[in-house]
Amino acid sequence: MKKSVWKNIGIVLIVIVFFAVLFFSISGFGKQSETDIKEKIKAELSYMDDSILSMSYQLTGINLADYVITKEQESSSNQQSNEQNSQSNTNTGEQSSTSSSGGQKSSENVQSESSESNVKFSLKEQSTLDTTRTNTIDWETLRLDTELLYSSWTSFLVDLHATQNVKNEDILAFSSEIDNLMIKVKEENKNDALIVLANLYSYIPLYAEGILTEKTEQVNLYRTKSHILACSVLVEQEKWEEIPTQMTKAQEYFSSIVGQSLQNENMQNKLSKSYVLLNELNSAVALKDKEVFYVKYENLMENMQYLDFS
């Protein structure tokens, strides 16, 4: 009888231990999975940040690299030399029908080789003050970039749903805006495409707020960039009187970052420079000159791309 009781107690203890281990294993796995998803979303937010801003730069003629790849035709002197060689071969051909045939083939070969080598590529400095820079938008590249953005969004969307920290309507709204972007890029509608890109970027701070709960500096950096991008949209529409509202919000959010990062010596120089450049951009608004605005806009965004608090 006693053996039977102890046997039953042993079985009960084994069952309790088994379920305890199972519970803690599942709990730990859940926490680990949630951490992994948040880390993945951080990377996806960074990608969306870079991609949307890059597409907006293409529409406004901004080039943070300061150089563009140009395609140029070779000088006409080589073409003239080839034409002279062709004429010489033709004259020689009058003395002999056989040599004429060979000369014409030789001439054709020279011309063929010349036409293949007439194009050369080079790096060329690009000035933001060049008013022709926005007349050569590469819509084919923008179409490819839009497709890549959409492909990345499908994965990002699933991850956002998994965290349950972002409102469903905010996720659906981003999907709708990507559809609008594809339409505007297909139509090659510059101003409307830029508006849609600004709308898309405005959701990045919302997503970051739900995910980066302990990284308020990064959230405020996204907010700052969102309002600066909105300023560029208004510049393209020449709505100068509406820009100060957006600029004030950008300055407020960035001032908050500076105040929170006083102890971060590694970021102080970059933050100080960005703060000065942001104020310089604000001062350019009163001039109501698009080229001057974009010179300062480009300098600011180039410096801000090196800020990261995630």
Side-chain angles (χ1 to χ4, degrees):
M1 182 74 178
K2 290 182 178 179
K3 289 183 178 180
S4 177
V5 172
W6 283 110
K7 182 178 180 181
N8 290 336
I9 293 174
I11 292 173
V12 171
L13 288 173
I14 291 172
V15 171
I16 291 173
V17 171
F18 172 77
F19 279 107
V21 171
L22 182 63
F23 172 78
F24 285 113
S25 296
I26 292 174
S27 253
F29 177 75
K31 289 180 180 178
Q32 183 63 37
S33 296
E34 185 179 351
T35 301
D36 290 344
I37 290 174
K38 285 189 175 183
E39 288 299 319
K40 185 180 178 186
I41 290 177
K42 285 181 186 179
E44 288 168 330
L45 283 170
S46 179
Y47 173 79
M48 290 291 175
D49 167 42
D50 290 338
S51 297
I52 294 173
L53 288 177
S54 177
M55 293 176 72
S56 75
Y57 297 155
Q58 293 179 61
L59 289 170
T60 54
I62 298 297
N63 180 25
L64 299 188
D66 294 327
Y67 288 89
V68 291
I69 299 175
T70 60
K71 184 171 69 173
E72 300 175 352
Q73 292 292 327
E74 197 176 28
S75 62
S76 58
S77 59
N78 288 339
Q79 295 181 19
Q80 292 174 354
S81 175
N82 289 333
E83 290 174 359
Q84 290 174 358
N85 289 337
S86 174
Q87 291 175 357
S88 175
N89 287 332
T90 302
N91 292 334
T92 304
E94 293 176 355
Q95 299 176 3
S96 170
S97 60
T98 303
S99 60
S100 173
S101 175
Q104 288 175 354
K105 289 181 180 179
S106 175
S107 173
E108 290 172 0
N109 289 336
V110 170
Q111 289 177 336
S112 175
E113 290 172 1
S114 174
S115 63
E116 291 176 359
S117 61
N118 276 344
V119 178
K120 65 177 182 178
F121 296 89
S122 61
L123 284 175
K124 180 181 179 182
E125 276 192 287
Q126 176 179 264
S127 170
T128 309
L129 292 173
D130 183 2
T131 56
T132 65
R133 70 190 190 285
T134 56
N135 297 331
T136 55
I137 297 172
D138 188 347
W139 289 103
E140 181 59 32
T141 297
L142 280 168
R143 279 188 281 270
L144 292 173
D145 289 344
T146 303
E147 291 175 11
L148 288 173
L149 187 68
Y150 177 77
S151 298
S152 301
W153 168 243
T154 54
S155 173
F156 192 16
L157 179 152
V158 173
D159 293 333
L160 288 174
H161 275 299
T163 65
Q164 300 181 345
N165 293 331
V166 178
K167 293 180 181 179
N168 188 55
E169 54 264 34
D170 290 335
I171 298 175
L172 293 175
F174 196 96
S175 294
S176 178
E177 290 293 353
I178 285 189
D179 292 341
N180 290 335
L181 180 62
M182 287 191 283
I183 292 171
K184 300 307 177 184
V185 170
K186 179 182 177 182
E187 294 173 348
E188 298 188 1
N189 188 324
K190 171 189 169 181
N191 286 338
D192 284 357
L194 190 58
I195 291 171
V196 176
L197 285 170
N199 291 340
L200 283 169
Y201 196 95
S202 68
Y203 288 100
I204 293 180
L206 288 178
Y207 300 156
E209 188 175 10
I211 305 301
L212 307 178
T213 53
E214 298 178 358
K215 301 290 184 179
T216 54
E217 296 100 327
Q218 187 63 37
V219 176
N220 284 332
L221 179 60
Y222 286 141
R223 286 170 175 159
T224 302
K225 289 181 179 180
S226 180
H227 288 294
I228 294 173
L229 179 56
C231 289
S232 74
V233 173
L234 295 172
V235 167
E236 289 298 321
Q237 297 173 339
E238 297 188 358
K239 295 181 178 180
W240 295 98
E241 68 283 354
E242 296 181 24
I243 297 177
T245 301
Q246 296 292 337
M247 191 64 70
T248 298
K249 291 179 180 178
Q251 289 177 310
E252 288 175 355
Y253 284 124
F254 199 76
S255 294
S256 175
I257 297 172
V258 174
Q260 290 175 296
S261 305
L262 291 175
Q263 304 303 320
N264 191 340
E265 295 182 3
N266 294 329
M267 298 297 294
Q268 275 302 304
N269 288 336
K270 295 176 183 177
L271 284 171
S272 297
K273 184 176 180 180
S274 291
Y275 184 78
V276 170
L277 292 173
L278 180 57
N279 288 330
E280 283 291 308
L281 182 65
N282 183 44
S283 67
V285 176
L287 299 175
K288 297 183 179 181
D289 187 291
K290 184 184 292 187
E291 278 65 47
V292 172
F293 177 89
Y294 276 126
V295 167
K296 299 189 177 186
Y297 178 86
E298 183 176 305
N299 288 335
L300 173 62
M301 300 309 283
E302 182 178 6
N303 193 73
M304 277 193 169
Q305 70 179 334
Y306 299 112
L307 298 177
D308 184 21
F309 301 93
S310 60

